[in-house]
Amino acid sequence: MEGLRLNMNALKPVAPKSDAVEATAKRKAKAKTAEPIEESWRKIFAMKLSDADRKRVTEVKAAMDAGKLARDPADCVNKAGNPKAFSKAEALRLWKTLQESQREETLRQMVENTPDNYELITTEERFQALIKALNNETIIAVDTETTGVDVYTDVIVGLSLTLPNADWHVYIPVEHVDCEQLSREYVLEGLAPVFNDESIGKVLHNAIFDIAMLRRHGFDLKGVVWDTMTAMHLLNENEDDRTLGGVGSFKLKDLAPKYLKTPADTFDALFGKNTQFKEVPLDIALVYAAKDTELTWKLYEFQRYHMAKIPTILDYYQTVEVPLLYVIVDLEANGYILDLDFAKEYGEKLHKRAEELRKELVAELTPFHEGDEPINLNSTHQMRPALSKAIGKELPNMDAKKTLKPLKDDLEIIAKLLEYKNIVKLSGTYIDTLPTKQNPTTERWHSRFNPMGTVTGRFSSGKDEEDKTQQGFNVQNQPQEARPMFGPPPGKVLVGADFKAQEIRCVAYLSGEPVLINAFLAERDPYATMASNFYKRPYEEVYKNPDGSDTKERKQMKVAWLATLYGMSDYSLADMLGVSKKEATEFKEELFGSMPDLSAWLKENEEFVRKNGYVWADLKARKRRLPDAKLPRKNIPYGKWNDPKYEDARKHNSRINRALRQATNARVQGSSSIQTKVTMIKAHEYCASKPGWALWSTVHDELIFEVPEDFTWEEAQEIRDIMLNSYRWGDVVPNGTDIEVMRKWGEGVPVEEWFKTKGDVIN
């Protein structure tokens, strides 16, 4: 009976499967079937990819389509042994495989195609032949290969040279791993006569680094006549701006393909980020290093040819920017001494203030916070809605500069939040970060100075972009209250000398405006003079209040002046003055209308840049290119300014307006940068003639000297003369300077008071 029952059960109709069971069955069946790779690619490209990832997966697809790359069998199935779909993660893994394969092929071809005029110098015989050939050259290209970019601790592992007359490009290894090579000392001693011979010109890319690197080993490099990196800034200061057609940087490997039509692989692309050049096999090292100096030489020829078309720029470059390279090497090498006890005390003070602000902000924002946990002041997700409710206004974002800063004067909670964020950043710097930046070799703190730090030629300070030691820091942006942390060594003081009203004197000179010129001739405050002229009131009434503070009229002049000089819109001026946009525009027009020569000059700048796409600095020494000024405007119908349909047109026209506003600022900043640089060269020459003297820093419109504390009144007057007469604004507008003496940076006394306190006689 049991068998019968079983048989009868088998004859019963099968129950229909549920939808869930059927879906599961379909998934299992599908899992055993590989998804077509075309479908996988479609899904990958439909994803939101970064530009870098999109480029990488595109390269992988091209290689796979060409049969040069295939999936790893291990990636084709999952743990259950079922086919596995191709994914973005797998594509990016394959990209690394592709890169390694391409790298190996590139290196193989580099060696195979080594030019006949490239030579590896590893014997004394060939080195002496090189020295003989160098003495027949009038100009050469030079480069050093090193273990890193710390010019006080890293070492040279090889040198490359290009000899143009001999058409010879060589690499001399001096500290590579496991190979035949000459010693570094032997090579540097042998090259010293050539390197010290100023009649043999030297061309480099980033000369400041190579000069400092050679000095680190006790040698020098005299006769530098061209630096292709700084020269490129004069030929196209927008090179790092891709939106204006630049390549994105001033690195040799980026410039060569554009201007020399020569492919140039970066070090990381060829050898990987963690490889040191001393580990690179010599046959490869020769091609890489010798090509660097050959490219540098060819870029020099290209640059000089084009710069010679504008003789004023060529003359300026050779007489100012090139000599300045040596000034910067000395400036950086001098370094700084820091009072770490002061840094700790200052950092703790900041930390305490930050904690006070944090508690106040949390208390004020908690009623508007909807989360169960305490509000996190560093969380944009939590802060934006809470802060919006607290101020009764919806904030589009938490951008400090664009959104929060314009509100801080009217809303105390915003001002408090900005102060909190700034203090948190500062306290971390002085407690945790800055003390670690002391250089282990020099036991000083060193900052890098970029003479082309801005598009107008102003200095910037900070760390080298390739520096992996994280020891660099920006000395120019130290807060006033933090400056006493920096001081001179025992027995010395700091002497600060500024360019008093540098930019407005420059404007007086360039515009020929009598109101400004007369103010400087009479040694009067230019802002109070403008206020007196504009409001038709006595100078004394609009200069200072009885308590010594600025009058409202002087403040207005300064605000309007800075807004114009720095290319601010009338909307920004209105915000600064606390008036409507219409009132701000009328005020500015009336103000500059009271100074017709200045007003005409401002209009001339705008018309010139609109026609030419650039403006000149003083004496046509350098250009500031503003190509957006030449763009044709896009039409936006009346009343449609805020229509989303015209957003692109609005942005386009804003670019034009910005370029027009920048024209005046570019002329003033560019001319002022020239004055600063010429004066720095003169100051450096003066310090070189005085034992124990050094140029300590350049900060905005100030030069700071490190001098023996027994310096004389006569020497102080020589500093004054350097500041006043190294670069004059013609014969009409006199320069001005204030000089102070400091035992700690930022805590100074006027030089006259310093000598009176010492009891010295002042003539």
Side-chain angles (χ1 to χ4, degrees):
M1 291 293 293
E2 182 67 27
L4 179 61
R5 277 199 301 273
L6 287 174
N7 187 45
M8 290 178 70
N9 286 338
L11 295 174
K12 289 181 179 180
V14 178
K17 293 180 180 178
S18 68
D19 291 343
V21 172
E22 195 168 302
T24 301
K26 285 182 179 179
R27 280 198 302 271
K28 288 181 177 179
K30 187 178 180 182
K32 295 179 181 179
T33 306
E35 177 183 80
I37 195 162
E38 292 80 8
E39 177 62 17
S40 297
W41 277 119
R42 187 192 67 76
K43 290 179 179 178
I44 290 171
F45 283 111
M47 294 178 179
K48 189 175 182 180
L49 300 171
S50 67
D51 291 342
D53 281 352
R54 185 169 295 277
K55 182 175 181 293
R56 289 169 181 172
V57 297
T58 301
E59 290 175 3
V60 169
K61 187 176 187 304
M64 292 179 75
D65 290 346
K68 297 179 180 178
L69 191 64
R71 297 182 70 184
D72 185 332
D75 285 330
C76 295
V77 294
N78 59 25
K79 292 181 180 179
N82 294 322
K84 184 179 177 183
F86 188 65
S87 66
K88 172 191 169 185
E90 185 180 348
L92 293 178
R93 287 197 298 272
L94 281 173
W95 181 79
K96 292 182 179 179
T97 303
L98 178 64
Q99 286 293 102
E100 187 59 35
S101 173
Q102 291 175 338
R103 180 184 295 132
E104 291 174 0
E105 177 61 18
T106 299
L107 294 175
R108 186 191 66 77
Q109 289 187 10
M110 281 173 60
V111 174
E112 186 177 301
N113 299 319
T114 301
D116 293 337
N117 58 353
Y118 280 26
E119 183 177 351
L120 195 65
I121 305 293
T122 59
T123 66
E124 291 187 11
E125 180 184 4
R126 294 307 297 156
F127 181 71
Q128 292 306 320
L130 172 65
I131 297 300
K132 184 177 179 181
L134 283 168
N135 286 309
N136 293 323
E137 301 285 340
T138 58
I139 184 170
I140 60 175
V142 182
D143 189 31
T144 61
E145 300 295 346
T146 65
T147 55
V149 295
D150 185 337
V151 296
Y152 313 107
T153 302
D154 284 307
V155 297
I156 293 173
V157 300
L159 297 99
S160 55
L161 302 165
T162 281
L163 289 68
N165 286 341
D167 190 23
W168 193 14
H169 314 278
V170 306
Y171 179 60
I172 317 166
V174 297
E175 198 178 287
H176 276 250
V177 176
D178 298 330
C179 63
E180 179 187 0
Q181 61 193 321
L182 299 169
S183 74
R184 181 167 49 233
E185 192 68 18
Y186 173 81
V187 169
L188 291 178
E189 287 282 2
L191 290 172
V194 175
F195 282 0
N196 287 322
D197 188 345
E198 295 195 34
S199 69
I200 300 177
K202 283 83 178 181
V203 174
L204 302 96
H205 189 84
N206 192 8
I208 292 171
F209 174 80
D210 294 287
I211 296 169
M213 225 37 226
L214 286 162
R215 289 186 179 181
R216 182 257 184 282
H217 292 288
F219 296 86
D220 208 344
L221 186 67
K222 298 177 181 177
V224 171
V225 296
W226 203 272
D227 177 358
T228 50
M229 187 171 76
T230 55
M232 199 71 246
H233 280 269
L234 281 181
L235 286 167
N236 182 18
E237 72 279 11
N238 297 319
E239 199 63 68
D240 59 350
D241 189 339
R242 294 185 187 276
T243 65
L244 295 176
V247 296
S249 84
F250 289 89
K251 294 179 181 178
L252 180 64
K253 297 300 195 301
D254 289 330
L255 298 174
K258 178 178 179 179
Y259 293 106
L260 305 178
K261 310 304 179 188
T262 303
D265 294 301
T266 65
F267 183 90
D268 287 351
L270 290 174
F271 310 116
K273 291 185 177 181
N274 298 320
T275 302
Q276 287 210 349
F277 199 73
K278 66 180 182 180
E279 300 167 347
V280 175
L282 291 187
D283 55 351
I284 299 173
L286 164 64
V287 188
Y288 180 86
K291 185 176 182 179
D292 266 5
T293 47
E294 183 182 19
L295 289 177
T296 299
W297 174 255
K298 288 181 177 179
L299 189 58
Y300 155 70
E301 290 184 307
F302 172 87
Q303 291 176 339
R304 202 184 191 292
Y305 170 79
H306 285 282
M307 204 179 285
K309 294 178 180 179
I310 313 176
T312 51
I313 294 182
L314 177 61
D315 179 66
Y316 165 74
Y317 178 70
Q318 292 179 311
T319 58
V320 178
E321 294 292 351
V322 172
L324 189 68
L325 299 171
Y326 289 100
V327 178
I328 298 169
V329 174
D330 285 345
L331 181 62
E332 292 180 350
N334 189 57
Y336 303 98
I337 296 173
L338 267 62
D339 182 343
L340 293 182
D341 289 336
F342 179 95
K344 182 180 179 182
E345 182 180 332
Y346 177 59
E348 289 173 349
K349 178 183 175 183
L350 290 172
H351 182 73
K352 182 179 178 182
R353 174 60 179 158
E355 183 58 19
E356 291 174 356
L357 288 167
R358 188 193 68 80
K359 290 179 179 178
E360 291 176 15
L361 286 165
V362 167
E364 291 178 42
L365 290 170
T366 294
F368 305 99
H369 174 52
E370 295 181 356
D372 295 329
E373 298 295 323
I375 188 168
N376 180 354
L377 300 185
N378 298 314
S379 168
T380 300
H381 179 71
Q382 294 182 21
M383 285 292 290
R384 191 173 71 85
L387 193 58
S388 295
K389 291 174 185 176
I391 66 174
K393 177 181 179 180
E394 188 66 26
L395 296 170
N397 53 55
M398 293 292 289
D399 186 284
K401 185 176 182 180
K402 294 181 179 178
T403 303
L404 300 182
K405 196 172 180 181
L407 301 173
K408 72 180 181 68
D409 291 336
D410 299 322
L411 297 167
E412 185 181 354
I413 193 170
I414 299 286
K416 200 176 290 186
L417 177 62
L418 289 173
E419 182 187 359
Y420 168 76
K421 287 181 173 294
N422 184 51
I423 287 178
V424 167
K425 182 180 177 181
L426 285 175
S427 63
T429 296
Y430 295 104
I431 294 175
D432 304 321
T433 309
L434 204 52
T436 68
K437 294 181 180 288
Q438 184 182 34
N439 189 279
T441 301
T442 66
E443 296 186 346
R444 285 197 175 200
W445 281 257
H446 299 272
S447 185
R448 292 288 175 88
F449 285 88
N450 182 355
M452 300 291 190
T454 71
V455 288
T456 58
R458 286 287 201 182
F459 269 86
S460 70
S461 166
K463 72 180 186 69
D464 188 288
E465 63 181 23
E466 297 179 5
D467 185 3
K468 297 172 185 174
T469 66
Q470 299 300 314
Q471 289 180 352
F473 68 98
N474 189 338
V475 72
Q476 291 184 321
N477 74 346
Q478 297 300 310
Q480 196 69 37
E481 59 270 24
R483 291 184 175 185
M485 177 175 56
F486 296 78
K492 294 189 178 182
V493 293
L494 301 178
V495 176
D498 70 355
F499 294 101
K500 193 174 180 182
Q502 182 185 43
E503 292 168 358
I504 198 167
R505 289 175 194 269
C506 175
V507 170
Y509 157 67
L510 292 174
S511 68
E513 173 53 55
V515 172
L516 296 177
I517 293 173
N518 292 336
F520 292 122
L521 289 174
E523 297 186 357
R524 285 192 160 195
D525 177 79
Y527 303 112
T529 300
M530 284 193 289
S532 175
N533 178 71
F534 181 68
Y535 291 109
K536 309 301 181 188
R537 290 170 56 191
Y539 172 86
E540 289 73 20
E541 286 186 14
V542 294
Y543 179 38
K544 295 287 184 182
N545 290 316
D547 63 358
S549 62
D550 286 342
T551 62
K552 176 184 176 182
E553 292 80 6
R554 185 182 184 276
K555 284 181 181 178
Q556 287 180 328
M557 294 300 112
K558 195 166 187 179
V559 166
W561 173 259
L562 293 175
T564 301
L565 185 61
Y566 287 96
M568 296 180 188
S569 67
D570 286 1
Y571 288 101
S572 297
L573 175 59
D575 183 60
M576 294 174 71
L577 291 173
V579 298
S580 69
K581 189 261 184 184
K582 181 182 178 183
E583 290 172 315
T585 302
E586 290 174 351
F587 172 72
K588 189 171 74 170
E589 289 176 351
E590 288 179 22
L591 170 61
F592 291 107
S594 69
M595 294 179 283
D597 286 14
L598 176 59
S599 184
W601 178 71
L602 293 171
K603 287 184 173 64
E604 286 169 10
N605 293 339
E606 190 173 303
E607 290 168 2
F608 187 93
V609 75
R610 185 183 284 113
K611 178 182 177 181
N612 299 286
Y614 67 86
V615 290
W616 285 108
D618 190 28
L619 304 178
K620 294 189 175 181
R622 65 184 304 144
K623 284 181 177 180
R624 170 66 181 113
R625 295 158 187 84
L626 297 162
D628 286 349
K630 294 180 68 177
L631 294 173
R633 289 189 178 276
K634 292 187 177 181
N635 181 53
I636 301 176
Y638 181 78
K640 298 291 185 179
W641 177 257
N642 294 317
D643 189 331
K645 178 181 176 181
Y646 295 97
E647 181 179 1
D648 289 342
R650 195 162 57 244
K651 289 179 179 178
H652 175 88
N653 290 348
S654 292
R655 286 174 56 191
I656 298 171
N657 294 337
R658 191 182 309 114
L660 295 176
R661 293 196 306 268
Q662 287 177 327
T664 292
N665 176 258
R667 293 199 69 190
V668 176
Q669 295 294 332
S671 302
S672 298
S673 77
I674 294 170
Q675 181 181 60
T676 298
K677 289 175 177 179
V678 171
T679 306
M680 284 180 69
I681 293 170
K682 298 294 185 183
H684 180 256
E685 291 172 354
Y686 179 73
C687 289
S689 69
K690 312 283 290 185
W693 284 57
L695 195 56
W696 189 81
S697 191
T698 174
V699 183
H700 308 305
D701 61 355
E702 182 180 22
L703 301 190
I704 305 174
F705 301 75
E706 180 182 293
V707 308
E709 62 182 355
D710 61 354
F711 79 106
T712 66
W713 172 256
E714 288 71 25
E715 289 169 329
Q717 298 317 300
E718 286 167 352
I719 290 176
R720 187 183 302 277
D721 182 67
I722 289 170
M723 297 298 296
L724 296 180
N725 298 311
S726 295
Y727 191 97
R728 298 178 61 85
W729 299 124
D731 297 324
V732 179
V733 182
N735 283 316
T737 188
D738 289 322
I739 300 177
E740 62 176 3
V741 185
M742 301 166 277
R743 291 196 180 276
K744 291 182 178 181
W745 185 24
E747 295 182 353
V749 297
V751 67
E752 294 82 4
E753 184 178 329
W754 167 266
F755 282 102
K756 286 178 182 177
T757 302
K758 289 178 62 181
D760 290 6
V761 176
I762 299 176
N763 297 324

